[in-house]
Amino acid sequence: MTLPQPLAPLHDLMLNLRWSWHPPTVELLQSIDPAGWAASGGDPVAMLSSMRPAQLGALAANEDFLRRLDAAVADLRGYTDEPRWYQTAAAGDAESLPKAVAYFSPEYGITAVLPQYSGGLGILAGDHLKSASDLGVPIIGVGLLYRHGYFTQSLSADGWQAERYPADDPNGLPLTLLRHRARPMAEGAIVSGAHDDPLPGGRPPVPPGEDGEPVKISVPFPDGKLLTAQVWLAQVGRVPLLMLDSYVEENEPAQHEVTDRLYGGGSEHRLRQELLLGIGGVRAVRAFCAITGHPEPEVFHTNEGHAGFLGLERIREYVAAGLSFDEALELSRAGTVFTTHTPVPAGIDRFPRELIERYFTADAAGAGLPVDRVLALGAETYPGGDHHVFNMAVMGMRLAQRVNGVSLLHGQVSREMFAGLWPGFDTAEVPIGSITNGVHAPTWVASEIMALGDSAAAAAAGAERMWEIRRRLRARLVAETRRRLRESWRQRGASGAELTWIDDVLDENVLTIGFARRVPSYKRLTLMLNDPQRLAGLLLDPERPVQIVIAGKAHPADEGGKRLIQQMVRFTDSEAVRRRIVFLPDYDMAMARYLVQGCDVWLNNPLRPLEACGTSGMKVALNGGLNLSVRDGWWDEWYDGGNGWEIPTADGVEDPARRDELEASALYELIAKSVAPLFYDAGADGVPQGWVEMLRHGLRSLGPLVQADRMVGDYVTKLYAPAAQASRALAADGSGTARELAAWKARVRQAWSGVRIEHVEADGAEPSLGAVLDVRVTAVLGDLSADDVCVEVVYGRLGDNDELVEPSQVTLTADDSAQAPHTRFSGAVELGQPGPFGYTVRVLPSHPLLASRADLGLVAYPDAPAGMSTGDLR
């Protein structure tokens, strides 16, 4: 696109996606051509490309517009250049924070004009980058550029989902190609992540290219084939997002299709995508940093298992620099964070072992890596595991020193789900933590709410003002729903004369419930249809009517999900209720903004505990809406009894149909007896004071918690900073520390079979609160010394099955009172918990650089359980 010289600053303004969450910039861009802006779907590149030269010439001569343009560019420059939270924090403790973080995700939801997302994972990744930009966190995003995105959804005449995959030309998107530069940085100017990073000698050189040529990276495939990709750059505020694209002339036609569409194709196609994302992504990061001078990442964050191969590429780099596989593994995993997003095994990518073996032959992606070691990283070596598959989540956990789920409940579910990787440890000790997701407020909160200030200030707004804002947002949703519904019916074959009824669909003064998400079976799209007559009664209640707006996509291969959509559409099509309940096809970010801003209540009814987090309800809360949800994901954590409603769950009911019946009945009851009465209980001024007070409490209690700024801050302080410090520690002394740790682990693993506890004795006062129990343990350590191990007493109250509940640990001290081959350990335990008491002892590997006591998955207990159960402590 060629613009007149006075308009040249528009290039920088529209190519930085900060405009997508910055209303003043959107207002400026929209003012150029309001009709063109609407026709383009709010895409500044498409809008300007469609303008005639005469229009551009007139705009270039408009002094008022040019002044506003200069101000907007200056504001953007200040945003990208001035120190922010991270820079202030780093100035106080520069050694604790990483120089940079590489964040890998298979999808990103930045804006609807860049359709590179399918659902919550991508929206979360987009919000992560945006908040990192707002906070000044030096993140480099890495993903793939899908020419056909996910898919656009429409409905057939009988309500069946249909998919289309329109092609996007990257040249028409707000992207630029990463290109070689005429004047590369001076040798040695690149900022290495670690203090003594061994990578410079082992890192592949920047691919050669003439000045201005696109940078291209390659990943070797079997049979001597090479997959090549170019790198597109999306600038997300301060954050660069690198997106790899396989549609280049060097590739044969079949290889072009590697980045054809998101989550498409069979196993081998998905494997190729994930090899390009992980291995190619690391190579793209290296090229980007070398060309631009951006600091090299010290921390690599793997957002779900799809990007897990990045760990193998980093190991390969270290091996090429002279480290052994085990040494490289330690150095790589110290600086790696892995986030799991699924609470169900079916949501994990698993490939046939034979396929992985073929792609990691010596002449393919695994060059320099022993294929047996690669296969072992993804092996399901636990009870119930399938020895014929390669599990990407399992590999991700083995390649990362820090692993987290995305809510407190999901962390617990993940520890149970993956406990087999750490046999011998209590589920609570499985080294998987949690950081609860958040949402990027500037993207999702309506401008009317934002104008009130932060969530506390919004909560303090007058009742009449808040109620009027909520009515205005509801009216906006009603208008958009009618527009989209009319478009959908026309796609289904209806004529304009048949659609006059749509003018009366929904009412801006009626209680509005929203339900929008992907449509796997566990999210239970059709739970509300369990008793259609009862639902119709709620919708058509003459005094307290309810209206519902529904949206969602089923995966193209999910026939069951499509049947659920068809069932819902057929109900919403029925003449009796179609003005009160609507299904809108093609759920995307643009639609989501109307929904989360305009709905009074957000409905979420998954099968507990199968919702990892769920973030759409967070967006509703920030807009002054209320949640009506099963206690799953984030709602289990932050529901307090006054900021919304809890749908009771029938967890113990085995029959799925009976469980759905019970929970649907509870849902109807809540709407009829709690939600609707509160909404319609208005005073003489027309304001329902009880409802407004509840939404105020929601803003106060949830506002500070549900924002992505809090989430990203947690990642920085709880995971990124410790990972950077661990990485630096292992890289010290030319990676001598990594070598020492790898050798120590190998020695411990080899010798562990010789470790055993031979004798345990304890004595002390009668069991009572505050009494002290003296414990002495005699152990045989074989080829290990007391410095290699930790001997613990694990103690606490006993549960119904004589298991230790929320146990505590006390470390015993070695003494020299025993003769070889024995070692004696002793210590005291204070009996500080009332109720039945029990204890046991165990031996664990111990090293100051281990991230957790379960790091190696090794533990030794007495052959005969040591312990006591002596009644209640009082």
Side-chain angles (χ1 to χ4, degrees), residues 572-593:
T572 64
D573 281 353
S574 60
E575 191 170 348
V577 299
R578 66 186 183 182
R579 289 173 175 81
R580 283 286 178 261
I581 184 167
V582 174
F583 182 91
L584 296 179
D586 210 24
Y587 182 43
D588 66 359
M589 289 184 70
M591 184 195 296
R593 283 171 57 87

Side-chain angles (χ1 to χ4, degrees), residues 758 778-780 815-824:
E758 289 209 338
T778 302
V780 174
D815 60 47
D816 56 3
S817 60
Q819 294 184 344
H822 298 96
T823 305
R824 182 168 292 173

Side-chain angles (χ1 to χ4, degrees), residues 390-592:
F390 184 93
N391 186 309
M392 293 295 289
V394 167
M395 179 184 70
M397 292 181 182
R398 286 176 173 147
L399 288 175
Q401 198 174 69
R402 287 162 181 81
V403 180
N404 71 286
V406 291
S407 69
L408 272 177
L409 180 59
H410 180 233
Q412 175 186 327
V413 170
S414 297
R415 287 189 289 275
E416 295 170 355
M417 185 172 165
F418 294 103
L421 295 176
W422 292 273
F425 288 90
D426 185 78
T427 301
E429 294 181 292
V430 169
I432 301 175
S434 65
I435 290 181
T436 303
N437 286 343
V439 298
H440 185 245
T443 294
W444 300 108
V445 177
S447 57
E448 292 89 341
I449 300 290
M450 292 289 280
L452 299 176
D454 61 17
S455 54
E464 288 190 24
R465 184 180 183 190
M466 177 58 76
W467 190 242
E468 171 56 25
I469 289 174
R470 290 298 315 152
R471 187 204 62 77
R472 196 181 313 162
L473 296 178
R474 196 184 309 116
R476 195 178 298 161
L477 172 60
V478 169
E480 178 67 8
T481 298
R482 291 172 181 171
R483 184 189 72 78
R484 286 179 178 263
L485 187 62
R486 182 172 281 106
E487 180 181 331
S488 173
W489 273 98
R490 284 176 174 158
Q491 288 178 340
R492 296 173 69 183
S495 66
E498 298 175 83
L499 301 179
T500 55
W501 62 273
I502 290 179
D503 294 336
D504 298 323
V505 165
L506 306 187
D507 183 328
E508 66 183 48
N509 297 306
V510 167
L511 170 62
T512 304
I513 297 176
F515 183 102
R517 49 192 41 88
R518 291 184 303 109
V519 190
S521 59
Y522 75 87
K523 291 181 183 284
R524 296 194 295 185
L525 167 70
T526 57
L527 183 71
M528 67 180 79
L529 299 182
N530 194 273
D531 186 337
Q533 287 187 316
R534 198 166 176 188
L535 175 60
L538 293 171
L539 297 171
L540 303 174
D541 187 293
E543 296 182 359
R544 297 169 178 164
V546 173
Q547 58 194 17
I548 306 177
V549 183
I550 302 163
K553 292 180 175 181
H555 188 280
D558 182 5
E559 296 294 307
K562 293 181 182 181
R563 282 192 292 273
L564 294 177
I565 289 175
Q566 185 179 50
Q567 181 185 351
M568 177 59 70
V569 171
R570 286 176 171 173
F571 180 82
T572 64
D573 281 353
S574 60
E575 191 170 348
V577 299
R578 66 186 183 182
R579 289 173 175 81
R580 283 286 178 261
I581 184 167
V582 174
F583 182 91
L584 296 179
D586 210 24
Y587 182 43
D588 66 359
M589 289 184 70
M591 184 195 296

